[in-house]
Amino acid sequence: MKRTLFLISIITAFFIYFLSAGNNGIAITYPAENTIFPPDIASPVIRFSGDAVGMNISLESGDTKIEGKINGKEWKPERGEWEKFKAACIGNNGKIVLNDRYGKELSSVKIIVSEDSVIAPIFFRDVPLPFKYALANLKEIKWRIGDISSDEPSTILMENIHVCANCHSFSANGRVLGMDVDAHSDKDAYGITDIAKKTVLYKMMHWSEYQDGEPTYGLLANISPSGRYIAATLKDHNFFVTRPDTAYSQLFFPIHGILVISDRHKGTYAALPGADDINYVQSNPSWSPDGREILFAKATAIKAGESGFTNAFDKDTSIFNRLADDFVLHDKKFKYDIYRIPFNEGRGGKAQPVPGASKNGKSNYYPRMSPDGKWIVFNQAESFMLLQPDSKLFIMPAEGGEPREMQCNSDNMNSWHSWSPNGKWLVFSSKMHDKYTRLYLTHIDENGNDSPPVLLENMWKPGRACNIPEFVNLRPGDFTELQPKFLDNDYFLYQNAVEKVKSGDLAGAEKNLDKAIALDSNNFKLYGTRGYVYMETGRRELALIDYSNGLKVNPKDSKLYNLRGHALLESGRIPEAYADFTKSIEINPNETEYFLSRGYLLVQAGKFREALPDLEKAIQLDRKNASAYLERGEALLHLGSLKAALKDLTKAIDLNPRLAQAYFLRAYCHLNMGHKNECCQDFDIAERLGLKAAKAEKMKVCGE
């Protein structure tokens, strides 16, 4: 009996040991050793390397010990217990201990609770991925503000807007917000507003005013600590391609541009001397906390011809695509250095490279100076700017020196950082956990040492990317709503109308355009778009009035002349239509559409030989324009040049196989050349494509 009991005890001991040993692979993966938590942070989620069901966890500091039971791969302490533990940790080290169900310690990490509070809320953007999807579904983007002390999800400030709002900055006191907003096709709008609990964003300034209306983005604009000045990149060319990879679905960085300063008080725009050399790209500006200098990223520009750009938006696709291939494949690099320049109330000065953040064989960008002016944190990557998989955060003395890679970095993109108002914390974005960026905190001590990252649990949602975080120097609850009243101004009403036209909602587009014109009767684009809506809804005379009103505002707009020309042509006013098409060509002699329009008019008027030079010019400008080959083919057919007509009409069909009129006209070519079978085949295709006249001709010629 004793022998039996002894054997049972031995077997039981081995069985217990076996179970315990089988748990040895499970460990605490978050937080990391020596993570520093703010005293005002809500309960974190402790994470494990495997399923820890039934295991025990304890939070220990001094005489305080809080115990819990785990039921999965995560465990979150109750709010009251976490507050008790944090209080015990201040001035002492804390420890998180993972034990198996039999009390054997499997893993433990030391943590610290700082005496430095965060207090300030964090403003950020919440977007779906990939970028191409987000761009097509702008209304799904949300703007949020988060309080680290809350267990509740971050507050949605603004959502359901049909335009892209992106880079933003606040004045030092948190009371002025500036935000890039794509107001219309020039994408040059910048919104400025004073912060209140319920903030209204209405007033827009437009960077293109500096360039006499020439398109520009006003890229990466940044407001001064006082809230009076805004620095931005203008005269810009920006490299941008979308990619299929969800995690890194775009490659975007400036390759040309100068820094321009807007003075809100005076309503002026001026280049910043010393950062206005057109041979370089000068971008990514950031103010010192006293507003006396600007840090920025600088690189040798890629010239317009080499990049394929002619202005901020127009580009030679073939040249650009070759450059895109080189960049995407990393066969070609583009690297920035960080410079500093005195502001001098807009007078600028000599820009100097920042030692340690320049001339190091890397790309250095996105500098941010601490509120006490002591430290600079910046990004470093092998090449390019923004959203780089290998980007790491570096910290260095503000006057220059040896930069130190921060220990809060992960192996997967670290960027978009912002200092807390008290200079003790840094918030940043990282793809540390998966392909969607989340927000993290790190503590910065007086010697510039940082700590392992703290995940902000209430500021992310699965399947969403959180980016562009910024501390706002306010108390939580001081800023709870951002009303996009800028959508009610003429520019945004115009853009929304264009979207509605594309989607087929002509009634909605007309309503928006009516409101926009009531707000600004001197915007020629509004008249042009409403005129188009009138044409599409059969109100030709109203369209003519709008086109004419638009030309009164801007008598040099070639597009309006072309649109009015077509309305006049449909009204049978041939000489007036011809004059408008000619005027559009005189203003812009490099537009395929204008030569095609005048050539079409001449064909319809039976002036086939006179039409040929215009149609040949249209083809020279665009050799893939099916309509140009169609019209020239019709003119040649009427002139009896059957082989040439057949060639042109076949080319039109190759470019657009659903062009019914091309089959119809080619059938006549075949008929006149004695090719009856081919003639009947083309009539049949034209009929199947919906051309009613083809059926009667087929019956007459082919006997079917």
Side-chain angles (χ1 to χ4, degrees):
M1 183 67 179
K2 288 182 178 179
R3 180 180 176 85
T4 302
L5 290 173
F6 174 74
L7 287 173
I8 290 172
S9 66
I10 292 294
I11 292 170
T12 302
F14 271 105
F15 183 63
I16 290 171
Y17 176 79
F18 175 76
L19 287 175
S20 177
N23 294 325
N24 283 344
I26 299 178
I28 298 170
T29 58
Y30 174 82
E33 183 79 2
N34 293 319
T35 295
I36 301 177
F37 285 91
D40 46 342
I41 196 165
S43 304
V45 175
I46 314 301
R47 292 175 169 83
F48 314 105
S49 58
D51 198 332
V53 172
M55 296 184 189
N56 303 302
I57 191 166
S58 61
L59 307 178
E60 303 174 9
S61 181
D63 296 331
T64 300
K65 184 175 182 180
I66 295 166
E67 296 180 301
K69 187 73 75 174
I70 304 167
N71 60 7
K73 293 183 179 181
E74 299 177 346
W75 178 78
K76 182 176 181 178
E78 293 294 329
R79 178 75 185 223
E81 293 178 336
W82 174 247
E83 294 300 324
K84 181 180 177 182
F85 176 64
K86 282 192 300 180
C89 285
I90 295 178
N92 300 291
N93 290 331
K95 187 166 71 166
I96 303 174
V97 181
L98 172 65
N99 295 315
D100 69 11
R101 55 180 60 85
Y102 303 102
K104 179 182 177 180
E105 183 176 314
L106 300 177
S107 175
S108 69
V109 295
K110 184 180 78 174
I111 68 163
I112 300 163
V113 177
S114 173
E115 294 181 358
D116 301 321
S117 297
V118 170
I119 303 174
I122 298 168
F123 182 72
F124 65 98
R125 187 172 67 168
D126 166 8
V127 299
L129 294 179
F131 177 78
K132 199 168 186 178
Y133 175 86
L135 200 59
N137 297 274
L138 292 172
K139 291 185 178 182
E140 292 187 22
I141 296 175
K142 304 178 191 298
W143 285 92
R144 295 177 174 269
I145 194 161
D147 173 9
I148 70 155
S149 67
S150 175
D151 287 308
E152 297 300 316
S154 52
T155 301
I156 298 173
L157 293 174
M158 183 171 71
E159 62 179 333
N160 198 35
I161 63 174
H162 61 267
V163 296
C164 183
N166 39 71
C167 295
H168 55 80
S169 55
F170 290 84
S171 60
N173 64 6
R175 290 297 172 183
V176 181
L177 165 66
M179 178 180 284
D180 289 336
V181 184
D182 293 351
H184 54 110
S185 58
D186 292 341
K187 299 182 181 293
D188 71 332
Y190 191 76
I192 303 170
T193 188
D194 293 324
I195 297 297
K197 192 176 183 69
K198 292 186 177 181
T199 299
V200 175
L201 182 57
Y202 183 78
K203 186 177 180 181
M204 291 285 125
M205 51 173 277
H206 297 276
W207 291 108
S208 59
E209 292 181 23
Y210 169 75
Q211 303 181 182
D212 295 326
E214 180 185 343
T216 186
Y217 282 92
L219 186 68
L220 295 167
N222 198 269
I223 200 164
S224 67
S226 69
R228 174 175 175 175
Y229 301 101
I230 305 103
T233 306
L234 271 64
K235 292 187 175 293
D236 52 315
H237 298 155
N238 303 296
F239 178 81
F240 169 69
V241 292
T242 57
R243 300 177 354 182
D245 178 15
T246 298
Y248 297 100
S249 53
Q250 62 172 309
L251 185 58
F252 176 75
F253 55 94
I255 58 176
H256 189 277
I258 66 171
L259 292 188
V260 170
I261 305 295
S262 172
D263 183 337
R264 292 178 57 208
H265 292 181
K266 296 181 179 179
T268 57
Y269 302 84
L272 182 65
D276 59 348
D277 189 334
I278 61 171
N279 295 307
Y280 293 88
V281 52
Q282 294 124 130
S283 188
N284 204 190
S286 176
W287 298 82
S288 64
D290 58 11
R292 293 182 178 181
E293 69 175 6
I294 294 175
L295 300 171
F296 65 97
K298 181 178 179 180
T300 301
I302 299 179
K303 295 179 181 178
E306 295 172 354
S307 64
F309 285 95
T310 56
N311 64 38
F313 297 97
D314 297 329
K315 61 179 180 281
D316 181 308
T317 305
S318 61
I319 296 175
F320 181 84
N321 286 344
R322 287 198 297 272
L323 187 64
D325 289 341
D326 287 343
F327 281 143
V328 170
L329 296 173
H330 279 244
D331 291 337
K332 188 177 181 66
K333 311 288 187 185
F334 199 84
K335 303 185 180 190
Y336 300 86
D337 291 320
I338 293 176
Y339 277 67
R340 69 194 328 143
I341 186 172
F343 177 54
N344 283 332
E345 304 301 316
R347 297 185 298 276
K350 185 176 182 180
Q352 301 279 5
V354 176
S358 58
K359 316 298 182 185
N360 52 20
K362 300 288 187 178
S363 186
N364 309 277
Y365 55 94
Y366 209 72
R368 291 294 183 268
M369 194 178 292
S370 60
D372 61 5
K374 187 176 179 181
W375 304 101
I376 294 173
V377 173
F378 66 98
N379 273 117
Q380 188 177 99
E382 180 63 28
S383 185
F384 313 131
M385 178 193 289
L386 311 177
L387 282 174
Q388 294 307 301
D390 65 333
S391 65
K392 296 287 178 69
L393 297 171
F394 282 75
I395 189 167
M396 61 182 291
E399 66 272 12
E402 188 66 30
R404 182 172 65 247
E405 183 176 335
M406 298 174 72
Q407 67 168 324
C408 64
N409 285 306
S410 74
D411 293 330
N412 201 357
M413 200 211 80
N414 311 272
S415 189
W416 297 118
H417 43 284
S418 168
W419 290 88
S420 64
N422 62 11
K424 302 297 184 180
W425 300 91
L426 196 78
V427 63
F428 65 99
S429 295
S430 177
K431 295 181 182 290
M432 192 176 304
H433 283 88
D434 57 26
K435 61 189 175 183
Y436 297 94
T437 48
R438 304 185 195 182
L439 304 187
Y440 300 84
L441 282 181
T442 183
H443 182 262
I444 313 288
D445 70 15
E446 63 274 8
N447 297 314
N449 297 309
D450 70 297
S451 57
V454 174
L455 173 62
L456 297 177
E457 303 286 355
N458 67 334
M459 298 189 203
W460 71 277
K461 288 182 177 294
R464 305 281 295 187
C466 299
N467 57 26
I468 330 181
E470 184 173 2
F471 278 109
V472 188
N473 193 7
L474 300 171
R475 292 275 176 175
D478 286 353
F479 181 21
T480 60
E481 187 177 343
L482 183 59
Q483 298 177 0
K485 291 295 184 181
F486 58 86
L487 296 174
D488 293 333
N489 73 27
D490 60 302
Y491 287 113
F492 286 90
L493 287 167
Y494 166 72
Q495 184 166 355
N496 189 237
V498 170
E499 287 185 7
K500 288 181 182 295
V501 167
K502 290 178 180 177
S503 68
D505 181 11
L506 298 179
E510 183 177 340
K511 183 178 179 181
N512 277 0
L513 291 163
D514 288 345
K515 288 169 64 177
I517 289 171
L519 288 169
D520 183 3
S521 60
N522 291 313
N523 188 333
F524 66 94
K525 291 182 180 180
L526 300 176
Y527 291 111
T529 307
R530 192 172 68 176
Y532 174 83
V533 171
Y534 285 147
M535 287 292 290
E536 290 295 298
T537 52
R539 291 172 288 174
R540 192 183 306 127
E541 292 306 314
L542 289 176
L544 282 169
I545 292 171
D546 262 5
Y547 293 147
S548 296
N549 284 335
L551 286 167
K552 287 177 184 176
V553 175
N554 185 3
K556 294 184 178 180
D557 188 75
S558 57
K559 185 72 173 177
L560 278 173
Y561 281 108
N562 189 64
L563 288 169
R564 192 174 70 175
H566 281 286
L568 290 166
L569 180 60
E570 286 193 23
S571 300
R573 296 158 66 175
I574 305 299
E576 293 170 84
Y578 183 87
D580 270 3
F581 291 145
T582 300
K583 187 69 175 178
S584 68
I585 291 170
E586 289 173 357
I587 295 171
N588 185 358
N590 295 308
E591 178 59 55
T592 303
E593 182 184 353
Y594 302 160
F595 287 99
L596 179 56
S597 295
R598 193 169 68 178
Y600 171 79
L601 178 149
L602 292 168
V603 168
Q604 297 305 304
K607 298 181 178 181
F608 306 113
R609 196 167 300 280
E610 292 92 327
L612 288 177
D614 278 346
L615 299 172
E616 286 165 2
K617 180 64 175 178
I619 290 170
Q620 286 176 16
L621 291 168
D622 183 2
R623 297 194 177 276
K624 294 185 178 181
N625 192 305
S627 296
Y629 287 103
L630 169 66
E631 294 303 325
R632 190 173 71 174
E634 182 173 358
L636 291 167
L637 174 62
H638 284 285
L639 291 170
S641 300
L642 298 179
K643 288 184 179 180
L646 183 66
K647 183 178 178 181
D648 268 3
L649 294 166
T650 300
K651 180 68 173 179
I653 289 166
D654 289 342
L655 291 168
N656 183 358
R658 300 194 60 79
L659 202 55
Q661 186 69 14
Y663 291 102
F664 186 72
L665 293 172
R666 193 172 71 172
Y668 281 111
C669 282
H670 285 306
L671 181 64
N672 286 301
M673 296 171 77
H675 307 153
K676 186 175 180 181
N677 287 340
E678 290 87 344
C679 168
C680 294
Q681 288 173 4
D682 276 352
F683 276 140
D684 185 59
I685 295 171
E687 180 188 355
R688 281 190 278 115
L689 287 172
L691 191 63
K692 294 180 180 179
K695 182 177 182 179
E697 290 301 305
K698 186 176 73 169
M699 291 288 293
K700 184 168 62 176
V701 174
C702 305
E704 296 181 11

